[in-house]
């Protein structure tokens, strides 16, 4: 995607206008907030545009110097260096101009559920949760479990957690889908390799302003908690099940002893699921663009295999195979997979815009 000189000037002028408005001291309240948001979004684009414009101008000047016999040798050397650097600068500018997902900077709700494979699937769900915990710690994010259903053998039948930090959704959104594991279960005496699976869903976390929920659309059931959770868990009606009648979305929460805390957590999860549903409906109008992306984010799509006997991780969407399974599950290696997914998505979106 080549950006014209006229477009570069427009970006520069727009950024200069915003800088002047911000420095004027005349903006207050909502106007200042809106201008600050626009400034933050445009700043990386403007810096990339300024760099490209300067490089193109320098190339033009050096090209003129080639006519001077005394300056030709020096001009040729500098010209070759600039021409080699310019494509990368232009690519960085094009990437900064791509339409951004409005949810990219948001925290996220991470949902992991054991799939096919019985006890082994639950153990694998636990492995995935710890992988994301370690990766989040490296990013400086905070992970807080919202609800969990532990399995008797270890791991989880289901766990939902809030991942708080800047840019969480941008990095984790391609993790949604079916994760498959191939290994010898600890319960297998014959040493046979089994295949199990767990599903992962990553939902951007909305604010109450983003998703307004009419109380009249909710059916709330209160019941007695069951399962592990201490001496009080089975003696009070503290568990909460909330059904959003218009969509049929159901969220149940029983981890807290307090009915009010369970209700608050359930509403938080419900709000995230409603927000994602609306995003999916909006994306329906952009089907062609989404086909160019790495994945749809559909949790039914098989995306990755973790093969223990071979020590490898394969992401099927981009054909990436890493023979560093331990590093991926430990957290640091996951960053390599995440970065590759983001780079592939950016490349395909650039190609789609060029087309």
């Amino acid at each position: 995607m080549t950006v014209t000189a006229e477009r570069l000037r427009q970006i520069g002028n727009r950024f200069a206008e915003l800088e002047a408005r911000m420095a004027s001291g005349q903006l207050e309240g909502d106007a200042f907030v809106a201008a600050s948001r626009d400034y933050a979004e445009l700043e990386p684009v403007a810096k990339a545009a300024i760099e490209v414009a300067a490089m193109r101008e320098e190339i033009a000047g050096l090209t003129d110097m080639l006519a001077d016999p005394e300056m030709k040798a020096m001009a040729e050397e500098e010209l070759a260096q600039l021409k080699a650097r310019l494509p990368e600068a232009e690519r960085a500018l094009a990437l900064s101009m791509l339409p951004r997902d409005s949810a990219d900077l948001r925290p996220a709700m991470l949902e992991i559920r054991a799939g096919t494979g019985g006890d082994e699937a639950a153990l694998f769900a636990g492995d995935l949760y710890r992988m994301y915990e370690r990766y989040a710690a490296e990013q400086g994010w905070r992970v807080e479990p919202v609800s969990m259903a532990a399995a008797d053998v270890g791991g989880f039948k289901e766990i939902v957690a809030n991942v708080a930090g800047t840019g969480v959704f941008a990095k984790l959104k391609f993790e949604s889908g079916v994760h498959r594991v191939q290994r010898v279960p600890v319960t297998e005496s014959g040493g046979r390799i089994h295949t199990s699976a767990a599903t992962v869903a990553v939902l951007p976390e909305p604010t109450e302003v983003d998703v307004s929920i009419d109380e009249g659309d909710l059916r709330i059931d209160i019941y007695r908690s069951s399962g592990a959770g201490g001496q009080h868990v089975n003696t009070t009606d503290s568990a909460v099940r909330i059904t959003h009648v218009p969509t049929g979305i159901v969220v149940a929460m029983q981890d807290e002893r307090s009915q009010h805390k369970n209700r608050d957590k359930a509403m938080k999860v419900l709000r995230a699921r409603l927000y994602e549903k609306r995003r999916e409906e909006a994306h329906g109008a952009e089907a062609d663009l989404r086909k160019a992306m790495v994945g749809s984010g559909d949790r039914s799509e098989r995306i990755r295999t973790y093969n223990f006997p071979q020590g490898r991780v394969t992401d099927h969407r981009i054909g990436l195979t890493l023979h560093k399974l331990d590093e991926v599950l430990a957290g640091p290696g996951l960053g390599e997979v995440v970065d590759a997914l983001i780079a592939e998505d950016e490349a395909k979106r650039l190609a789609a815009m060029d087309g």
Side-chain angles (χ1 to χ4, degrees):
M1 188 173 94
T2 303
V3 182
T4 65
E6 177 59 28
R7 182 63 177 135
L8 291 177
R9 280 193 293 272
Q10 290 173 355
I11 294 170
N13 291 340
R14 172 61 177 153
F15 189 63
E17 289 172 7
L18 273 173
E19 278 191 313
R21 289 183 66 199
M22 295 287 291
S24 69
Q26 298 176 354
L27 298 177
E28 296 181 356
D30 291 343
F32 180 80
V33 171
S36 298
R37 183 176 60 247
D38 291 345
Y39 183 88
E41 290 178 357
L42 188 58
E43 184 178 24
V45 181
K47 286 183 175 180
I50 289 169
E51 181 181 6
V52 168
M55 291 176 73
R56 288 181 181 175
E57 185 176 346
E58 193 171 353
I59 285 173
L62 288 168
T63 301
D64 291 340
M65 289 172 60
L66 293 176
D68 186 337
E70 295 183 2
M71 303 295 292
K72 183 178 180 181
M74 182 192 72
E76 283 179 339
E77 182 179 350
E78 292 186 20
L79 195 58
Q81 293 175 357
L82 273 174
K83 284 185 174 180
R85 287 166 44 206
L86 181 61
E88 185 57 36
E90 290 182 328
R91 175 178 167 77
L93 172 60
L95 287 174
S96 72
M97 294 176 66
L98 282 175
R100 292 183 60 177
D101 188 328
S102 60
D104 272 356
L105 297 180
R106 294 180 183 270
M109 299 295 292
L110 172 67
E111 303 181 357
I112 304 173
R113 293 178 177 82
T116 56
D119 291 343
E120 174 63 12
L123 290 170
F124 180 50
D127 292 338
L128 289 177
Y129 178 69
R130 286 184 288 275
M131 176 183 75
Y132 291 123
E133 266 193 320
R134 293 161 182 158
Y135 178 69
E138 283 199 336
Q139 303 299 311
W141 302 336
R142 186 179 70 257
V143 180
E144 180 183 357
V146 175
S147 72
M148 65 178 71
D152 294 337
V153 296
F156 302 103
K157 296 176 183 176
E158 173 182 306
I159 183 164
V160 179
N162 173 250
V163 186
T166 302
V168 174
F169 186 68
K171 290 205 167 185
L172 292 185
K173 61 185 176 182
F174 296 122
E175 292 302 297
S176 291
V178 176
H179 294 240
R180 187 176 67 169
V181 63
Q182 295 173 328
R183 63 185 176 188
V184 178
V186 293
T187 56
E188 171 59 51
S189 58
R192 292 177 301 174
I193 297 172
H194 286 227
T195 298
S196 305
T199 61
V200 173
V202 179
L203 313 178
E205 185 181 340
T207 65
E208 292 188 23
V209 175
D210 295 319
V211 180
S212 178
I213 300 176
D214 188 339
E215 289 287 333
D217 289 338
L218 302 179
R219 184 174 70 244
I220 301 176
D221 300 309
I222 309 299
Y223 58 99
R224 189 154 296 183
S225 300
S226 61
Q231 61 180 334
H232 300 287
V233 75
N234 296 313
T235 60
T236 58
D237 291 333
S238 59
V240 176
R241 182 188 302 109
I242 300 178
T243 303
H244 186 253
V245 177
T247 61
I249 295 174
V250 179
V251 179
M253 202 69 57
Q254 67 171 28
D255 290 11
E256 301 288 345
R257 296 179 183 177
S258 162
Q259 180 187 132
H260 295 294
K261 288 183 178 179
N262 280 327
R263 187 184 190 282
D264 288 345
K265 283 188 172 183
M267 287 297 292
K268 193 171 188 178
V269 175
L270 175 62
R271 193 172 288 111
R273 292 182 184 172
L274 284 172
Y275 182 61
E276 180 63 9
K277 180 176 176 61
R278 292 177 187 176
R279 278 168 44 83
E280 288 175 355
E281 291 170 351
H283 281 315
E286 305 165 12
D288 291 341
L289 179 58
R290 284 182 63 77
K291 283 179 183 176
M293 295 172 60
V294 167
S296 65
D298 185 344
R299 70 191 70 183
S300 67
E301 177 185 7
R302 190 195 72 177
I303 63 169
R304 194 174 300 151
T305 295
Y306 304 73
N307 184 292
F308 276 69
Q310 297 177 17
R312 66 171 170 84
V313 176
T314 298
D315 194 287
H316 305 288
R317 295 163 294 180
I318 57 176
L320 173 69
T321 293
L322 300 176
H323 289 276
K324 47 178 72 174
L325 175 64
D326 291 342
E327 289 181 43
V328 171
L329 290 175
L334 180 60
E336 190 172 341
V337 181
V338 168
D339 291 344
L341 287 164
I342 292 172
E344 181 73 9
D345 176 59
E346 290 174 339
K348 288 188 174 182
R349 288 200 292 149
L350 275 177
M353 291 186 70
D354 284 340

